[in-house]
Amino acid sequence: MFWVIASTVVAFFMATTMIFVRLKAAKKPASVKKIILPPLFMSTGACMFFVPEFRVAWTQVLEAFFVGVFFSIFLIKTSKFEIKDNDIYLIPSKSFVFILFGLLLVRIIIKLIIGSTISLGETSGMFFLLAFGMILSWRLAMLYKYKKLEKELKYHSV
């Protein structure tokens, strides 16, 4: 039970940190690098699957990843860019904080339900995959939106 509570507290602090990082990032122009790097850095967490305790079946991999992709829809819908002073900025959404904490709450509830039927290691592996599916699809959608605006910006500056 200690590990369930500890991992939930850590997830809460990570979500809170992400809110502050996102709000701070909105003050500076966006870039391809800033969009691509977070999922790239997060992908190193897949090394956890070298440890047998964290391995999950392929059906669980697909299930967790696609639940993450589904959750990302809420983040994709609230991530918008705009052109200001010949730069592209991410517009901070007022609902982002509520969506992020709502998704966190749903993840905690699912974790408590799933955690009672499978091991802590498998639960951890599945929730890593869920989070990775969520951030990867969200960031790919952001990259698509950014590139679209970047083309528009180049077209208007010619």
Side-chain angles (χ1 to χ4, degrees):
M1 189 63 176
F2 167 77
W3 291 112
V4 172
I5 294 170
S7 63
T8 302
V9 169
V10 168
F12 175 79
F13 282 111
M14 287 173 67
T16 304
T17 302
M18 185 167 167
I19 289 168
F20 287 113
V21 167
R22 174 104 186 253
L23 292 175
K24 185 180 174 188
K27 295 177 183 176
K28 296 178 183 173
S31 69
V32 170
K33 185 170 114 177
K34 289 178 184 178
I35 294 169
I36 291 175
L37 286 179
L40 186 65
F41 292 149
M42 186 181 176
S43 68
T44 61
C47 291
M48 72 190 298
F49 296 112
F50 291 140
V51 178
E53 184 177 295
F54 295 106
R55 292 184 189 151
V56 293
W58 281 107
T59 54
Q60 292 170 310
V61 169
L62 295 172
E63 184 178 284
F65 186 82
F66 285 113
V67 167
V69 171
F70 173 74
F71 283 176
S72 74
I73 292 169
F74 302 103
L75 297 171
I76 291 167
K77 293 289 184 189
T78 60
S79 296
K80 303 208 182 329
F81 291 97
E82 72 177 17
I83 298 172
K84 285 187 205 171
D85 302 325
N86 253 3
D87 284 313
I88 301 171
Y89 287 84
L90 183 62
I91 304 167
S93 168
K94 291 173 180 38
S95 61
F96 178 75
V97 173
F98 300 107
I99 289 170
L100 198 60
F101 278 115
L103 290 172
L104 178 64
L105 182 64
V106 169
R107 286 175 57 188
I108 289 169
I109 291 167
I110 293 171
K111 184 178 176 181
L112 293 173
I113 293 168
I114 290 176
S116 64
T117 58
I118 63 174
S119 73
L120 179 64
E122 286 178 305
T123 304
S124 299
M126 287 184 72
F127 276 87
F128 167 80
L129 291 165
L130 185 149
F132 188 69
M134 190 166 72
I135 194 169
L136 182 66
S137 54
W138 175 39
R139 292 301 178 132
L140 286 173
M142 285 176 66
L143 182 61
Y144 175 77
K145 291 177 182 181
Y146 178 87
K147 286 297 206 177
K148 199 168 149 184
L149 263 184
E150 189 178 51
K151 282 181 184 175
E152 185 180 314
L153 184 63
K154 285 180 182 175
Y155 176 76
H156 288 301
S157 65
V158 173

